[in-house]
């Protein structure tokens, strides 16, 4: 984890920084590296190429922290159209026992979780609509993890909907102190858990701050998931953790169809291809849409090499 990450994420939250960053040509170039398109039309050829290369995909319609009910409903409508298009293009052909090639990833804060009053219930109802369409189309759904203040509500939604949609996945973040317990809860039959390190700015009261602690926690959490009977999704680009996952697979006697690797679009492409060629299920998280600011700043904050660009914007270029 980049030690400057908390400072970058704090700076990125300022409206001035957002104005500066969204108006530059440099930003447009960096956005394209991580976000292949703003529309479904721009997304389609990228998705096709990834699937043709032997990789699986998880498509995320960008957006978060909606405080407008109409916006949350528009996001649901976009997911329904997305799932229709993925299915119509014959991209969503599942097969027995193996990983379903097409998944969508959803942030509950984009579906209304942050709305005043009954936000979590609205988000749950909206997710049910998305899952119903996904079930018809043979597409999986995984609920992204956001900042720690949402974790209880998000996992409550997943618990509520899993009896109806047993393949509904959730994301857990190894930087949170609580996550080993959450992994133990979600390591049971059929449970799909995407384990990542975590991308938000979190206080020391709830999250490990040092790299080594986050990595050690990841190893403990992954071990719990691998020794369980669910379907672990190993979401990391960290070479040591990718290797550790392979060691745990061998130790636990898991077959190839019982877990998958996941990485972000635009990050370690050659490693993605290597894992897919080695016969692993390798899923790429592909975001699209015009609300890319939050996603982009999290990617910049993870990566020291992108800092020069960021700091230039910070001092007003
Ligand atoms: P790091 O130690 O950060 O990175 C290891 C190596 O990977 C780096 O040395 C570098 O070579 C490469 N790398 C990593 N990030 C970048 C980058 N941005 N640009 C270029 N190279 C990079 N986080 C959440 O909080 N909630 C989620 O729902 C969530 N979903 C995710 C889904 C997927 C499929 C993945 C892969 C990640 C997701 N994340 C999510 C982000 C995650 O929490 C980390 O912030 C991110 O993956 C970086 O951590 P890392 O494990 O790759 O290790």
């Amino acid at each position: 984890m980049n030690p400057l990450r908390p400072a970058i994420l704090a700076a990125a939250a300022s409206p001035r920084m957002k104005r500066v960053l969204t108006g530059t040509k440099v930003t447009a170039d960096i956005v394209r590296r991580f976000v292949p398109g703003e529309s479904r039309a721009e997304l389609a050829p990228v998705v096709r190429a990834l699937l043709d290369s032997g990789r699986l995909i998880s498509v995320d319609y960008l957006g978060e922290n909606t405080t407008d009910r109409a916006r949350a409903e528009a996001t649901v409508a976009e997911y329904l159209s997305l799932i229709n298009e993925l299915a119509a293009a014959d991209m969503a052909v599942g097969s027995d026992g193996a990983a379903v090639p097409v998944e969508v990833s959803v942030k509950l804060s984009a579906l209304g979780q942050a709305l005043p009053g009954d936000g979590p219930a609205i988000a749950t109802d909206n997710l049910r609509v998305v899952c119903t369409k996904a079930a018809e189309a043979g597409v999986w759904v995984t609920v992204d993890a956001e900042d720690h203040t949402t974790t209880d509500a998000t996992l409550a939604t997943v618990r509520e909907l899993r009896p109806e949609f047993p393949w509904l996945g959730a994301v857990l973040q190894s930087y949170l102190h609580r996550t080993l317990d959450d992994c133990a809860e979600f390591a049971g039959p059929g449970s799909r858990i995407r384990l990542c390190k975590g991308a938000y700015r979190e206080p020391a009261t709830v999250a490990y701050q040092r790299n080594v602690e986050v990595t050690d926690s990841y190893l403990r959490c992954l071990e719990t998931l691998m020794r369980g009977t669910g379907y672990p999704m190993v979401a990391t680009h960290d070479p040591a953790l990718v290797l550790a996952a392979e060691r745990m697979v061998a130790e636990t006697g898991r077959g190839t169809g019982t877990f998958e690797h996941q990485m972000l679009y635009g990050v370690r492409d050659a490693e993605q291809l290597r894992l897919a060629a080695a016969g692993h299920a390798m899923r790429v998280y592909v975001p699209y849409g015009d609300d890319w600011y939050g996603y982009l700043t999290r990617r910049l904050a993870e990566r020291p090499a992108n800092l020069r660009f960021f700091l230039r914007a910070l001092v007003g270029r």
Side-chain angles (χ1 to χ4, degrees), residues 103-158:
E103 177 189 78
V104 293
S105 284
V106 181
K107 284 186 175 51
L108 290 185
S109 79
L111 298 192
Q113 189 184 54
L115 289 168
D118 49 359
I122 293 168
T124 303
D125 288 346
N126 282 337
L127 183 62
R128 183 180 283 108
V129 174
V130 172
C131 287
T132 301
K133 169 62 76 182
E136 286 164 18
V139 168
W140 275 345
V141 178
T142 289
V143 180
D144 282 352
E146 303 182 65
D147 75 69
H148 80 277
T149 62
T150 66
T151 309
D152 281 332
T154 296
L155 294 183
T157 293
V158 171

Side-chain angles (χ1 to χ4, degrees), residues 1 5 33-34 144-145 171 173 175 194 196-200 235-239 262-264 267-268 285 299 302-303 306:
M1 197 185 299
R5 194 179 73 162
R33 172 176 169 193
F34 294 108
D144 282 352
V171 180
Q173 300 151 312
Y175 64 14
R194 172 189 302 159
C196 66
K197 288 184 181 174
Y200 294 79
T236 180
H237 316 93
D238 185 333
Q262 297 192 342
M263 295 190 188
L264 301 175
V267 181
R268 300 202 71 202
Y285 185 100
R299 301 294 77 79
E302 279 156 7
R303 179 76 174 148
N306 292 333

Side-chain angles (χ1 to χ4, degrees), residues 28-82:
D29 292 343
I30 289 235
V31 173
R32 255 195 304 280
R33 172 176 169 193
F34 294 108
V35 180
E38 295 206 345
S39 65
R40 273 178 272 128
E42 288 172 346
L43 172 77
V46 176
V47 157
R48 184 77 271 157
L50 286 167
L51 291 170
D52 287 348
S53 73
R55 287 172 279 185
L56 317 173
I57 53 164
S58 188
V59 181
D60 168 47
Y61 176 54
L62 290 165
E64 52 199 271
N65 297 327
T66 302
T67 50
D68 170 9
R69 187 148 188 181
R71 177 82 197 137
E73 277 159 20
T75 298
V76 173
E78 177 65 26
Y79 270 103
L80 300 187
S81 301
L82 171 67

Side-chain angles (χ1 to χ4, degrees), residues 20-21 145:
V20 171
L21 282 176

Side-chain angles (χ1 to χ4, degrees), residues 12 58 114 190 213 246:
S58 188
E213 294 172 322
E246 295 189 7

